[in-house]
Amino acid sequence: MTFPPDVLPLASISAMRPVFLIIMGVFLLLTAWRITRGTTGWSPRLLMAGAMMLATGYSVIIPLYNAGILIAIPPSGFVNGDAATAMAWECLKLVTLNGGWLVFGMGLAIHAGVFETEKSVAPIQVPHSSSHEPIH
Amino acid sequence: MSQFIEFVIKSGFLMDGCGVIGLGLIALAAVRLSRRYHSWGGSLLACGAMLLLLGRLWVIAAKQILTAQIMADLGHTLSEVILLAPFALLTAGLAGVVWGLWGHEQWLRAER
């Protein structure tokens, strides 16, 4: 079985990864929307905001970079083309991905009750202070 | 170029820190969900967050550690593997987080 040569690159990992990321981003947004549907409070708001940022980053910005439409800033810092645009997209990518994970993680943490403390069921032990031996 | 934007982009440390903190929070929340509420999505979520965290740290560390000299010492194949491995981790981690979130959503629906 032979493939025409222009089909093979479409099945490579570097071609599949953006597609996978697009699907994952959209699915993340969909799942977050299904979780937060009909609820109020800060946890769904943060979850939804984070999922929207992540979906933007993963299903729009990273595929654009992989498709070569947006050019990444090389380590030398020299950009051929519009430097301000390249920097704005880089900034947007950093903010949507990292900020998205931060906001999403915060929402999930509030949802899971990480910041709440459970009331301890252990009886409170009051130390006996002996009046015979004064504490030095 | 304003100095703040230069700081944010060039060092990248601020945003990288935000991302790593967020992933850590996700991992913490996922462990909490699976331990306390016995939500099966929580375990997957924790695995995904751990993979993502590992991949992120790998990328950040590789940027600092891997110089041209070290890469030349390691050889072409090994340095390629080291550079490409975090992307596999990141992809698998994202899949784990999304799958775990979906599982948690199913669990929530079954509980209600």
Side-chain angles (χ1 to χ4, degrees):
Chain A
M1 188 174 173
T2 53
F3 292 104
D6 53 340
V7 170
L8 266 184
L10 284 180
S12 66
I13 288 178
S14 55
M16 285 310 288
R17 192 166 180 266
V19 178
F20 182 78
L21 287 184
I22 290 174
I23 294 172
M24 280 300 147
V26 171
F27 200 67
L28 182 74
L29 191 58
L30 195 67
T31 313
W33 174 71
R34 275 178 63 113
I35 279 191
T36 58
R37 192 173 46 178
T39 53
T40 53
W42 274 106
S43 151
R45 278 175 218 160
L46 286 176
L47 265 178
M48 207 54 208
M52 277 163 131
M53 284 164 85
L54 284 176
T56 315
Y58 275 116
S59 41
V60 178
I61 295 179
I62 286 189
L64 282 180
Y65 269 106
N66 284 344
I69 297 172
L70 301 177
I71 311 295
I73 298 179
S76 61
F78 180 75
V79 187
N80 50 355
D82 195 357
T85 314
M87 205 165 61
W89 279 111
E90 180 80 16
C91 237
L92 197 63
K93 187 184 92 169
L94 284 176
V95 168
T96 48
L97 289 183
N98 290 318
W101 280 118
L102 183 64
V103 174
F104 187 76
M106 196 66 97
L108 201 65
I110 294 175
H111 169 74
V114 169
F115 300 123
E116 296 161 10
T117 40
E118 267 179 305
K119 238 181 193 167
S120 174
V121 290
I124 298 170
Q125 298 265 332
V126 180
H128 295 286
S129 58
S130 56
S131 53
H132 304 296
E133 294 170 14
I135 301 166
H136 297 293
Chain B
M1 190 194 305
S2 92
Q3 208 156 18
F4 177 68
I5 292 181
E6 192 173 3
F7 167 70
V8 165
I9 288 192
K10 277 243 177 89
S11 58
F13 193 72
L14 189 66
M15 295 320 290
D16 283 346
C18 282
V20 169
I21 291 172
L23 286 174
L25 277 175
I26 288 183
L28 207 61
V31 168
R32 184 87 169 216
L33 280 177
S34 60
R35 284 291 300 277
R36 200 205 264 181
Y37 302 108
H38 304 291
S39 153
W40 64 271
S43 328
L44 262 173
L45 207 57
C47 288
M50 282 300 159
L51 283 179
L52 269 174
L53 205 53
L54 197 62
R56 282 300 300 160
L57 288 178
W58 195 323
V59 167
I60 294 171
K63 229 188 287 176
Q64 309 289 334
I65 294 172
L66 276 186
T67 55
Q69 178 60 41
I70 295 180
M71 277 169 74
D73 286 347
L74 283 175
H76 182 69
T77 314
L78 201 56
S79 56
E80 281 288 300
V81 166
I82 288 177
L83 281 181
L84 287 181
F87 291 102
L89 284 178
L90 288 175
T91 312
L94 183 65
V97 166
V98 174
W99 193 6
L101 197 68
W102 178 80
H104 181 63
E105 194 258 337
Q106 297 292 311
W107 176 83
L108 276 179
R109 212 153 288 279
E111 282 286 294
R112 274 175 199 158

